Amino acid sequence: MNFLGSTKANGMLTTFLSFSESRSFLLEPRCVSGFLHAVLLLVLFCSWVRNKVRGNNGFGSVRERLKDRRGLGFKSVLFCSLALSLLNLVLTSLSGFYWYESDWLDEEQLVSLLMFLLATVSWGVLSVSLHRCSDYEQRKSPFLLRLWLAFYLAVSCYSLVVDIAMYKRHVHLLVYDIVSFSGALLLCYVAFFKKARGGNNNNSNGVLEEPLLNGASTVGGGGTGEATPYSRAGILSLLTFSWMGPLIEIGNKKPLDLEDVPQLHDSDSVVGLAPKFRSMLESSSDGGGESERSGVTTFKLMKALFFSAQWEILVTAFFAFIYTVASYVGPALIDTFVQYLNGRRQYNNEGYVLVITFFLAKLVECLSQRHWFFRLQKVGIRMRSSLVAMIYEKGLTLSCHSKQGRTSGEIINFMTVDAERIGNFSWYMHDPWMVLLQVGLALWILYRNLGLASIAALIATILVMLVNFPFGRMQERFQEKLMEAKDNRMKSTSEILRNMRILKLQGWEMKFLSKIFDLRKSEEGWLKKYVYNSAVISFVFWGAPTLVSVSTFGACILLGIPLESGKILSALATFRILQEPIYNLPDTISMVVQTKVSLDRIASYLCLDNLQPDVVETLPQGSSDIAVEVSNSTLSWDVSSESPTLKDINFKVLPGMKVAVCGTVGSGKSSLLSSILGEVPKVSGSLKVCGTKAYVAQSPWIQSGKIEDNILFGKPMERERYEKVLEACSLSKDLEILSFGDQTVIGERGINLSGGQKQRIQIARALYQDADIYLFDDPFSAVDAHTGSHLFKEVLLGLLSSKSVIYVTHQVEFLPAADLILVMKDGRISQAGKYNDILSSGTDFMELIGAHQEALAVVGSVDASSVSEKPALGGEEDAIGFDVKQESQDVKNDKPDTEETKRQLVQEEEREKGSVALDVYWKYITLAYGGALVPFIVLAQVLFQLLQIGSNYWMAWATPVSKDVEAPVNISTLMIVYVALAVGSSLCILVRATLLVTAGYKTATELFHKMHHCIFRSPMSFFDSTPSGRIMNRASTDQSAVDLDIPYQFGSVAITVIQLIGIIGVMSQVSWLVFLVFIPVVAASIWYQRYYIAAARELSRLVGVCKAPLIQHFAETISGSTTIRSFNQESRFRGDNMRLSDGYSRPKFYSAGAMEWLCFRLDMLSSITFAFSLVFLVSIPTGVINPSLAGLAVTYGLSLNTLQAWLIWTLCNLENKIISVERILQYASVPSEPPLVIESNRPEQSWPSRGEVDIHDLQVRYAPHMPLVLRGITFTFKGGLRTGIVGRTGSGKSTLIQTLFRIVEPSGGEIRIDGVNILTIGLHDLRLRLSIIPQDPTMFEGTVRSNLDPLEEYTDDQIWEALDKCQLGDEVRKKELKLDSSVSENGENWSMGQRQLVCLGRVLLKRSKILVLDEATASVDTATDNLIQKTLREHFSDCTVITIAHRISSVIDSDMVLLLSNGIIEEYDSPVKLLENKSSSFAKLVAEYTARSSSSVD
């Protein structure tokens, strides 16, 4: 808006504030408006007096009735009132200037002044009255106020119509009327209609009545309801961001922790936002309920996001509008200023009026920009939180079939990348309409100064914008492909990190690393296209203002419009401001594109099918005399499949019954339990369940956190019941061994627990829930024989004696105790009945029993009567359960025998403190080509800046100040030099943009390879103590920052510094005195920046640190969703997710506040510098300074505050972003394992030929301060013999195997294989020559072929042969794609037993001389176990086979048996000799097993 810049006779103000004599008084809307404002003041005053008389605090009626402090409507009213008051204040000031200028003679101006003054005071009083309101409930607005608002709306509308119809030339009046009308419309809407949305419900959140957080507490108080620094701040504090002061002060005294960061207010907490967003999404999808999700489209998602934050968005739009208008006041007045300096004065003290106007415009610009930016970030935080809550909720309800199509890595990406990007889009949401407004205002100023030549500017601007569209479309495609490639990489990374132990044991980690590098290469291909495309866009748009100015000045010459320096400078200042929307347009288009891609992805995810809610009919507890009833049910994981998973299932379970489910591998046992849980889609039939359920999965699902929390699982602590459960699950002894007892923090996926311990914690969790129906999916397979029988007796027959239990088992000895046995075969129940009844009635059950008896026959020589009743190895020591595998990882859990303090395994994520080391910046800069490109980038930018200043200087110097002054050069020279300088500057930009993205791309690639290589080469202990969420966070979020953000942040800092130096240079040319102010202002700015950065840096680090737990919790929820649903714990997990989401939003919110706190102060300082230089220019006598050059200084000075704030902004942003590099470098320096290959000491190709393993004085501990786990053991595994290793949990069995593979390095002694000391050769030379079938059968996403032969060493014939040997050949042949049949993530479309057979196939292919079986048959039935043993005997007869087993039958036919106890060898001999000695520990173990098993067969 231009209030003072007209060159007409009386100046713009005259036109603005004088009205034609012919206009009748009745048609003068501003008089009516003034009268109305007087009435408002009267109403407010009467209200105040009445309440004073009644003893209230004044302003009571407004206060009591208008306000629900948390309501968005209220805040909108408050800001609207305040804005109208400020606008009228500005107009009052301008009227005063004009009145002063016209010697107080104009009566109409007096009326205008009074009208503006009345409006200022009345809106100000209303603002104050609203702001002072306390927390009263929102009722209707007072009748008088509503009546007044209706009149005000009518008058505003009337004013607008009058001005449009009769006074079109008064553009400024029109703008004022538009603002007044918009404000009146908003106020009326809030006063009359706002309450209708909430209905009569007293709960301000409406949909927030269900309890979500921690089960009991209601969500209504989600943001804790306490006043936060932001919500209790006064109006001045809000305006100046002083409410951030205390937090920044704390940050200066000490590094901030999350506890120091205040809570979010209710309106910004996800607890209040999520239900509101959900209801918006449902209402926009018409259907509501379940059908709604299936109909989520991108548009509906966008609409819901908008309406969930509509008032904040509208308020930011208002601030953006005010900012844009204020930013054009300067360029509009430059011509007037140059003419003033040239001696043309329109009235007394015009110079000071101009200075004040410049300063006020800067003030309004600064205030509106700061609040616009802050509120935009608030909107972004809200959007991200709402989306994360929706994505999380969807993850909890996703059907298994849908989940197969989306891996956990992809779903995590929706949360970490897509929701984050949509949150960041808030920065750009107003840009599309602002571009139109800015271009419109720019053209208006150009038209005033240069007439029709402004059309050339418009055409050039449109041309530049059109050029961008093909690039924008390409950018969208590249972005989509980049995201797809990233998803694929993250999916693989997630799977590989989960199974790193297997990869290390097999020696495959480098092959899988190369797979990650291949995926990254494909990602890099799209990244390269993306960044180079953005470099071209950058060139087009940095060159755009030059093109626009050349076109405009060229048109002036062609049209014969005289070029004067004042007009030229006004145009140049306008182009400089126009640069902003044009520079930002490519970013905006790119961001719109990226956001659309992200919205599409999230919408398609939210459309996926949920679990069918009606699969199982759940009856209230005690309402039926049947616990579980399944009638004629056919169910299928894949509804479209022709052969259903379960067919014609019929059975009933009465309360208190024990039902056993048995059958061969892949017969549908686990699917049967899943169907009772409602996880398997139903084709036909009915399932009824009466009462609550508890479920124990076959693969243990353990949350990271304390053992106690895992067992309580959301229930309150009842000590007596808790102790009983621990005792029944044999956990008491385990907990005694752990340094922290049940407070020990479990690593991710229970990494620091043995398989048996994880299962027992799972069982304890189920028992503690005290449910009515228990579903056990073969939980006894992962524990040794003694613990298994103890659990069966204490749990199933003890604590659960009165409960209904359905248990899947492969162990025949647990069958006789069942009231009903279901024998599964090919998805049907082939036999059902009691043990003795079905023994004689069919073949399927007899096959299982026969296999069991066959296994027992081997130990038939042992007399059952010699069974010792008491446990063999020293009392009940079995429960120790501190399996190697764990000790290794969680060395910290044992009691250290040194003074070293006890530590938990999973420490809080390490975060650097203090400023980011300069070393990090230096490493980043020099990583690409040794930093060779950096000087050229800086040089290109310096040249660009010099050429730009040169071209502007040339135009200011070479054009006359006014028409009557002769130009120093002719027109053609003027344009040729200007065009040459312009082209030169554009070329510099092209060079800079290209070099910058080249350096950034190369650096990102180098960092990626360094970090991943280092992670893959790190020892297993690193993965055990590092949750994969932390690694994933670096591989996704931090890598994204390095790929796409940091190069531009570095570039931005360099560009801004160079521009700032240029501006100060130009200003000091005119007025060296500017340094008098500039130097202290710079000093103050630096002090503020240093004061601010301490808090901001830690807030930014907290954002990074608080993100990992959110991702980890999400990943855990997805993998354990079945368990969570079976315990009906969804609402508690939602609450946890919300708590973590708010924990992540808090530092983000206050980080935004801190940034604006700083920028506001820097804006003020730079405005003072600018004002000082203007005062100096108007104070000196005419002719001392060339007016053109003074005008040039003012032109550059206009952008001083923006640039100074931008510099600090980019510096702080860079420091925040560089933390991503710091975090990646942290993991790029993890200590590595020993070398994979030692060229100087490679074993022969045929090694090992005999397979003899000689162990001498082997000592192993997991850390220097830990006790020994293996205490100097010496023995030999003879070549070609089968050796079984037995011992209680925690005796050191798995540690021995890990040491053999050098997963753990021995601290003393040596291991020789065929005479070669394994410590002297490379890890791959060792691991690739040994074979292992691990305890947890693992399959990777891919094909059957890639799972059997990841290194691609074998032919198809060899693979088929291996499949046939492991009895999987027929199964694979049935599949359409044979060897290329797909394997889903974690092999979830294969049963546990089939996965174990695939692991057997791997070793059959490899045919190593030494084979290790680590509990390899734990997940299979006895018949499959016998088959595996038979296959091994047949094909590995000449190999050394080392077996760790829980089933005695697996080791009884070994040539030798090694019995370990507490890290020392208790017995080592042939089984026959050990059995002859009845007092041997092994004989006691066998006797115990036989007694238990025989009783089941009798």
PDB file of all heavy atoms in Angstrom, residues 9 35 48 122 204 239 323 336 584 662-663 703 741 767 782 789 879 1030-1031 1061 1120 1195-1196 1349 1422 1471:
ATOM      1  N   ALA A   9       0.243  16.579  -7.428  1.00  0.00           N
ATOM      2  CA  ALA A   9       0.375  17.866  -6.756  1.00  0.00           C
ATOM      3  C   ALA A   9       0.262  17.793  -5.247  1.00  0.00           C
ATOM      4  O   ALA A   9       1.138  18.232  -4.537  1.00  0.00           O
ATOM      5  CB  ALA A   9      -0.669  18.834  -7.314  1.00  0.00           C
ATOM      6  N   PHE A  35     -19.266   6.750  14.019  1.00  0.00           N
ATOM      7  CA  PHE A  35     -20.370   6.741  14.971  1.00  0.00           C
ATOM      8  C   PHE A  35     -20.528   5.351  15.612  1.00  0.00           C
ATOM      9  O   PHE A  35     -20.702   5.225  16.823  1.00  0.00           O
ATOM     10  CB  PHE A  35     -21.660   7.158  14.248  1.00  0.00           C
ATOM     11  CG  PHE A  35     -22.893   7.059  15.114  1.00  0.00           C
ATOM     12  CD1 PHE A  35     -23.104   7.943  16.177  1.00  0.00           C
ATOM     13  CD2 PHE A  35     -23.832   6.058  14.887  1.00  0.00           C
ATOM     14  CE1 PHE A  35     -24.231   7.835  16.985  1.00  0.00           C
ATOM     15  CE2 PHE A  35     -24.959   5.949  15.688  1.00  0.00           C
ATOM     16  CZ  PHE A  35     -25.168   6.835  16.747  1.00  0.00           C
ATOM     17  N   TRP A  48     -18.530  -2.350  31.626  1.00  0.00           N
ATOM     18  CA  TRP A  48     -17.483  -2.271  32.655  1.00  0.00           C
ATOM     19  C   TRP A  48     -18.057  -1.673  33.946  1.00  0.00           C
ATOM     20  O   TRP A  48     -17.839  -2.194  35.039  1.00  0.00           O
ATOM     21  CB  TRP A  48     -16.331  -1.423  32.115  1.00  0.00           C
ATOM     22  CG  TRP A  48     -15.188  -1.295  33.055  1.00  0.00           C
ATOM     23  CD1 TRP A  48     -14.254  -2.220  33.364  1.00  0.00           C
ATOM     24  CD2 TRP A  48     -14.865  -0.122  33.833  1.00  0.00           C
ATOM     25  NE1 TRP A  48     -13.360  -1.734  34.272  1.00  0.00           N
ATOM     26  CE2 TRP A  48     -13.706  -0.446  34.587  1.00  0.00           C
ATOM     27  CE3 TRP A  48     -15.428   1.145  33.966  1.00  0.00           C
ATOM     28  CZ2 TRP A  48     -13.114   0.460  35.453  1.00  0.00           C
ATOM     29  CZ3 TRP A  48     -14.832   2.052  34.814  1.00  0.00           C
ATOM     30  CH2 TRP A  48     -13.685   1.704  35.560  1.00  0.00           C
ATOM     31  N   SER A 122     -11.496   1.945  20.189  1.00  0.00           N
ATOM     32  CA  SER A 122     -12.545   0.959  20.464  1.00  0.00           C
ATOM     33  C   SER A 122     -12.054  -0.467  20.217  1.00  0.00           C
ATOM     34  O   SER A 122     -12.284  -1.362  21.027  1.00  0.00           O
ATOM     35  CB  SER A 122     -13.793   1.255  19.629  1.00  0.00           C
ATOM     36  OG  SER A 122     -13.470   1.295  18.262  1.00  0.00           O
ATOM     37  N   SER A 204     -14.958 -29.537  25.739  1.00  0.00           N
ATOM     38  CA  SER A 204     -14.545 -28.708  24.614  1.00  0.00           C
ATOM     39  C   SER A 204     -13.952 -29.517  23.490  1.00  0.00           C
ATOM     40  O   SER A 204     -13.869 -29.068  22.374  1.00  0.00           O
ATOM     41  CB  SER A 204     -13.529 -27.666  25.081  1.00  0.00           C
ATOM     42  OG  SER A 204     -12.402 -28.300  25.582  1.00  0.00           O
ATOM     43  N   LEU A 239       3.679 -10.542  21.674  1.00  0.00           N
ATOM     44  CA  LEU A 239       4.156  -9.762  20.524  1.00  0.00           C
ATOM     45  C   LEU A 239       5.668  -9.854  20.364  1.00  0.00           C
ATOM     46  O   LEU A 239       6.181  -9.968  19.265  1.00  0.00           O
ATOM     47  CB  LEU A 239       3.751  -8.295  20.681  1.00  0.00           C
ATOM     48  CG  LEU A 239       2.356  -7.899  20.186  1.00  0.00           C
ATOM     49  CD1 LEU A 239       2.092  -6.443  20.494  1.00  0.00           C
ATOM     50  CD2 LEU A 239       2.204  -8.160  18.695  1.00  0.00           C
ATOM     51  N   TYR A 323       2.185  -8.492   6.095  1.00  0.00           N
ATOM     52  CA  TYR A 323       3.635  -8.465   5.815  1.00  0.00           C
ATOM     53  C   TYR A 323       3.883  -8.054   4.367  1.00  0.00           C
ATOM     54  O   TYR A 323       4.743  -7.208   4.082  1.00  0.00           O
ATOM     55  CB  TYR A 323       4.236  -9.848   6.086  1.00  0.00           C
ATOM     56  CG  TYR A 323       5.600 -10.029   5.472  1.00  0.00           C
ATOM     57  CD1 TYR A 323       6.727  -9.435   6.046  1.00  0.00           C
ATOM     58  CD2 TYR A 323       5.769 -10.760   4.298  1.00  0.00           C
ATOM     59  CE1 TYR A 323       7.984  -9.579   5.468  1.00  0.00           C
ATOM     60  CE2 TYR A 323       7.012 -10.906   3.711  1.00  0.00           C
ATOM     61  CZ  TYR A 323       8.116 -10.315   4.293  1.00  0.00           C
ATOM     62  OH  TYR A 323       9.353 -10.452   3.721  1.00  0.00           O
ATOM     63  N   THR A 336       9.917   9.194  -4.126  1.00  0.00           N
ATOM     64  CA  THR A 336       9.634  10.406  -3.341  1.00  0.00           C
ATOM     65  C   THR A 336      10.878  10.801  -2.538  1.00  0.00           C
ATOM     66  O   THR A 336      11.233  11.982  -2.449  1.00  0.00           O
ATOM     67  CB  THR A 336       8.460  10.140  -2.374  1.00  0.00           C
ATOM     68  OG1 THR A 336       7.397   9.548  -3.099  1.00  0.00           O
ATOM     69  CG2 THR A 336       7.979  11.413  -1.710  1.00  0.00           C
ATOM     70  N   ASN A 584      11.247 -18.217  -4.358  1.00  0.00           N
ATOM     71  CA  ASN A 584      10.570 -19.247  -3.566  1.00  0.00           C
ATOM     72  C   ASN A 584       9.656 -20.124  -4.403  1.00  0.00           C
ATOM     73  O   ASN A 584       9.289 -21.211  -3.973  1.00  0.00           O
ATOM     74  CB  ASN A 584       9.743 -18.610  -2.446  1.00  0.00           C
ATOM     75  CG  ASN A 584      10.632 -18.043  -1.358  1.00  0.00           C
ATOM     76  OD1 ASN A 584      11.818 -18.383  -1.292  1.00  0.00           O
ATOM     77  ND2 ASN A 584      10.092 -17.171  -0.535  1.00  0.00           N
ATOM     78  N   CYS A 662      -2.079 -80.313  17.951  1.00  0.00           N
ATOM     79  CA  CYS A 662      -0.805 -80.836  17.450  1.00  0.00           C
ATOM     80  C   CYS A 662      -0.955 -81.155  15.967  1.00  0.00           C
ATOM     81  O   CYS A 662      -2.056 -81.130  15.414  1.00  0.00           O
ATOM     82  CB  CYS A 662      -0.373 -82.067  18.247  1.00  0.00           C
ATOM     83  SG  CYS A 662      -1.581 -83.396  18.196  1.00  0.00           S
ATOM     84  N   GLY A 663       0.134 -81.449  15.326  1.00  0.00           N
ATOM     85  CA  GLY A 663       0.127 -81.716  13.891  1.00  0.00           C
ATOM     86  C   GLY A 663       1.492 -81.447  13.318  1.00  0.00           C
ATOM     87  O   GLY A 663       2.379 -80.914  13.988  1.00  0.00           O
ATOM     88  N   GLN A 703       8.789 -55.995  24.463  1.00  0.00           N
ATOM     89  CA  GLN A 703       9.009 -54.557  24.265  1.00  0.00           C
ATOM     90  C   GLN A 703      10.329 -54.144  24.880  1.00  0.00           C
ATOM     91  O   GLN A 703      10.730 -54.697  25.902  1.00  0.00           O
ATOM     92  CB  GLN A 703       7.909 -53.779  24.986  1.00  0.00           C
ATOM     93  CG  GLN A 703       6.728 -53.430  24.124  1.00  0.00           C
ATOM     94  CD  GLN A 703       5.817 -52.502  24.891  1.00  0.00           C
ATOM     95  OE1 GLN A 703       5.214 -52.894  25.873  1.00  0.00           O
ATOM     96  NE2 GLN A 703       5.722 -51.253  24.444  1.00  0.00           N
ATOM     97  N   GLY A 741      17.820 -56.723  38.535  1.00  0.00           N
ATOM     98  CA  GLY A 741      16.615 -57.519  38.783  1.00  0.00           C
ATOM     99  C   GLY A 741      15.559 -57.261  37.727  1.00  0.00           C
ATOM    100  O   GLY A 741      15.879 -57.160  36.534  1.00  0.00           O
ATOM    101  N   LEU A 767       0.087 -64.595  32.119  1.00  0.00           N
ATOM    102  CA  LEU A 767      -0.454 -65.046  33.414  1.00  0.00           C
ATOM    103  C   LEU A 767      -0.906 -63.865  34.261  1.00  0.00           C
ATOM    104  O   LEU A 767      -1.937 -63.903  34.919  1.00  0.00           O
ATOM    105  CB  LEU A 767       0.623 -65.825  34.188  1.00  0.00           C
ATOM    106  CG  LEU A 767       0.994 -67.215  33.671  1.00  0.00           C
ATOM    107  CD1 LEU A 767       2.032 -67.829  34.599  1.00  0.00           C
ATOM    108  CD2 LEU A 767      -0.225 -68.115  33.605  1.00  0.00           C
ATOM    109  N   ALA A 782      11.130 -73.369  23.173  1.00  0.00           N
ATOM    110  CA  ALA A 782      12.372 -72.587  23.278  1.00  0.00           C
ATOM    111  C   ALA A 782      13.101 -72.804  24.595  1.00  0.00           C
ATOM    112  O   ALA A 782      14.150 -72.229  24.829  1.00  0.00           O
ATOM    113  CB  ALA A 782      12.053 -71.107  23.119  1.00  0.00           C
ATOM    114  N   SER A 789       8.950 -78.903  31.345  1.00  0.00           N
ATOM    115  CA  SER A 789       8.007 -79.690  32.156  1.00  0.00           C
ATOM    116  C   SER A 789       7.606 -78.907  33.417  1.00  0.00           C
ATOM    117  O   SER A 789       6.469 -78.977  33.864  1.00  0.00           O
ATOM    118  CB  SER A 789       8.615 -81.048  32.536  1.00  0.00           C
ATOM    119  OG  SER A 789       9.847 -80.857  33.174  1.00  0.00           O
ATOM    120  N   ALA A 879      16.605 -72.540  36.516  1.00  0.00           N
ATOM    121  CA  ALA A 879      15.939 -71.274  36.184  1.00  0.00           C
ATOM    122  C   ALA A 879      16.905 -70.144  35.898  1.00  0.00           C
ATOM    123  O   ALA A 879      16.489 -69.051  35.591  1.00  0.00           O
ATOM    124  CB  ALA A 879      15.029 -70.882  37.336  1.00  0.00           C
ATOM    125  N   ARG A1030      17.623 -46.237  16.251  1.00  0.00           N
ATOM    126  CA  ARG A1030      18.673 -45.209  16.175  1.00  0.00           C
ATOM    127  C   ARG A1030      19.423 -45.291  14.841  1.00  0.00           C
ATOM    128  O   ARG A1030      19.743 -44.277  14.236  1.00  0.00           O
ATOM    129  CB  ARG A1030      19.664 -45.388  17.329  1.00  0.00           C
ATOM    130  CG  ARG A1030      19.056 -45.048  18.663  1.00  0.00           C
ATOM    131  CD  ARG A1030      20.055 -45.213  19.796  1.00  0.00           C
ATOM    132  NE  ARG A1030      19.354 -45.217  21.081  1.00  0.00           N
ATOM    133  CZ  ARG A1030      19.944 -45.504  22.231  1.00  0.00           C
ATOM    134  NH1 ARG A1030      21.225 -45.815  22.264  1.00  0.00           N
ATOM    135  NH2 ARG A1030      19.249 -45.484  23.344  1.00  0.00           N
ATOM    136  N   ILE A1031      19.702 -46.524  14.425  1.00  0.00           N
ATOM    137  CA  ILE A1031      20.421 -46.689  13.152  1.00  0.00           C
ATOM    138  C   ILE A1031      19.492 -46.273  12.007  1.00  0.00           C
ATOM    139  O   ILE A1031      19.897 -45.561  11.085  1.00  0.00           O
ATOM    140  CB  ILE A1031      20.895 -48.150  12.976  1.00  0.00           C
ATOM    141  CG1 ILE A1031      21.803 -48.562  14.139  1.00  0.00           C
ATOM    142  CG2 ILE A1031      21.626 -48.321  11.657  1.00  0.00           C
ATOM    143  CD1 ILE A1031      22.208 -50.023  14.161  1.00  0.00           C
ATOM    144  N   ILE A1061      27.517  -8.328   3.172  1.00  0.00           N
ATOM    145  CA  ILE A1061      28.741  -7.519   3.017  1.00  0.00           C
ATOM    146  C   ILE A1061      28.530  -6.507   1.888  1.00  0.00           C
ATOM    147  O   ILE A1061      28.903  -5.331   1.991  1.00  0.00           O
ATOM    148  CB  ILE A1061      29.958  -8.429   2.736  1.00  0.00           C
ATOM    149  CG1 ILE A1061      30.289  -9.265   3.987  1.00  0.00           C
ATOM    150  CG2 ILE A1061      31.177  -7.605   2.312  1.00  0.00           C
ATOM    151  CD1 ILE A1061      31.272 -10.383   3.744  1.00  0.00           C
ATOM    152  N   GLY A1120       4.278 -56.273  17.027  1.00  0.00           N
ATOM    153  CA  GLY A1120       3.555 -56.963  18.096  1.00  0.00           C
ATOM    154  C   GLY A1120       2.073 -56.669  18.107  1.00  0.00           C
ATOM    155  O   GLY A1120       1.405 -56.861  19.128  1.00  0.00           O
ATOM    156  N   THR A1195      17.683   1.645  -1.262  1.00  0.00           N
ATOM    157  CA  THR A1195      17.166   0.442  -1.942  1.00  0.00           C
ATOM    158  C   THR A1195      17.753  -0.818  -1.318  1.00  0.00           C
ATOM    159  O   THR A1195      17.036  -1.782  -1.023  1.00  0.00           O
ATOM    160  CB  THR A1195      17.552   0.481  -3.439  1.00  0.00           C
ATOM    161  OG1 THR A1195      17.135   1.716  -3.980  1.00  0.00           O
ATOM    162  CG2 THR A1195      16.897  -0.652  -4.203  1.00  0.00           C
ATOM    163  N   TYR A1196      19.055  -0.797  -1.124  1.00  0.00           N
ATOM    164  CA  TYR A1196      19.704  -1.974  -0.518  1.00  0.00           C
ATOM    165  C   TYR A1196      19.369  -2.082   0.962  1.00  0.00           C
ATOM    166  O   TYR A1196      19.198  -3.175   1.501  1.00  0.00           O
ATOM    167  CB  TYR A1196      21.221  -1.899  -0.731  1.00  0.00           C
ATOM    168  CG  TYR A1196      21.646  -2.527  -2.044  1.00  0.00           C
ATOM    169  CD1 TYR A1196      21.823  -1.747  -3.184  1.00  0.00           C
ATOM    170  CD2 TYR A1196      21.849  -3.891  -2.146  1.00  0.00           C
ATOM    171  CE1 TYR A1196      22.190  -2.316  -4.392  1.00  0.00           C
ATOM    172  CE2 TYR A1196      22.221  -4.472  -3.357  1.00  0.00           C
ATOM    173  CZ  TYR A1196      22.389  -3.680  -4.472  1.00  0.00           C
ATOM    174  OH  TYR A1196      22.737  -4.270  -5.663  1.00  0.00           O
ATOM    175  N   ASP A1349      20.469 -69.397  -1.316  1.00  0.00           N
ATOM    176  CA  ASP A1349      21.794 -69.136  -1.882  1.00  0.00           C
ATOM    177  C   ASP A1349      22.009 -67.646  -2.103  1.00  0.00           C
ATOM    178  O   ASP A1349      22.058 -67.174  -3.232  1.00  0.00           O
ATOM    179  CB  ASP A1349      21.896 -69.910  -3.222  1.00  0.00           C
ATOM    180  CG  ASP A1349      23.233 -69.679  -3.915  1.00  0.00           C
ATOM    181  OD1 ASP A1349      24.208 -69.375  -3.204  1.00  0.00           O
ATOM    182  OD2 ASP A1349      23.290 -69.791  -5.151  1.00  0.00           O
ATOM    183  N   THR A1422       8.018 -83.432  16.580  1.00  0.00           N
ATOM    184  CA  THR A1422       8.975 -84.533  16.767  1.00  0.00           C
ATOM    185  C   THR A1422       9.253 -85.255  15.462  1.00  0.00           C
ATOM    186  O   THR A1422      10.392 -85.632  15.179  1.00  0.00           O
ATOM    187  CB  THR A1422       8.426 -85.537  17.808  1.00  0.00           C
ATOM    188  OG1 THR A1422       7.865 -84.800  18.880  1.00  0.00           O
ATOM    189  CG2 THR A1422       9.531 -86.407  18.353  1.00  0.00           C
ATOM    190  N   PRO A1471      27.824 -90.984  25.153  1.00  0.00           N
ATOM    191  CA  PRO A1471      26.574 -91.114  25.902  1.00  0.00           C
ATOM    192  C   PRO A1471      26.470 -92.476  26.598  1.00  0.00           C
ATOM    193  O   PRO A1471      25.980 -92.576  27.727  1.00  0.00           O
ATOM    194  CB  PRO A1471      25.476 -90.960  24.841  1.00  0.00           C
ATOM    195  CG  PRO A1471      26.144 -90.562  23.580  1.00  0.00           C
ATOM    196  CD  PRO A1471      27.610 -90.644  23.741  1.00  0.00           C
TER     197      PRO A1471
END
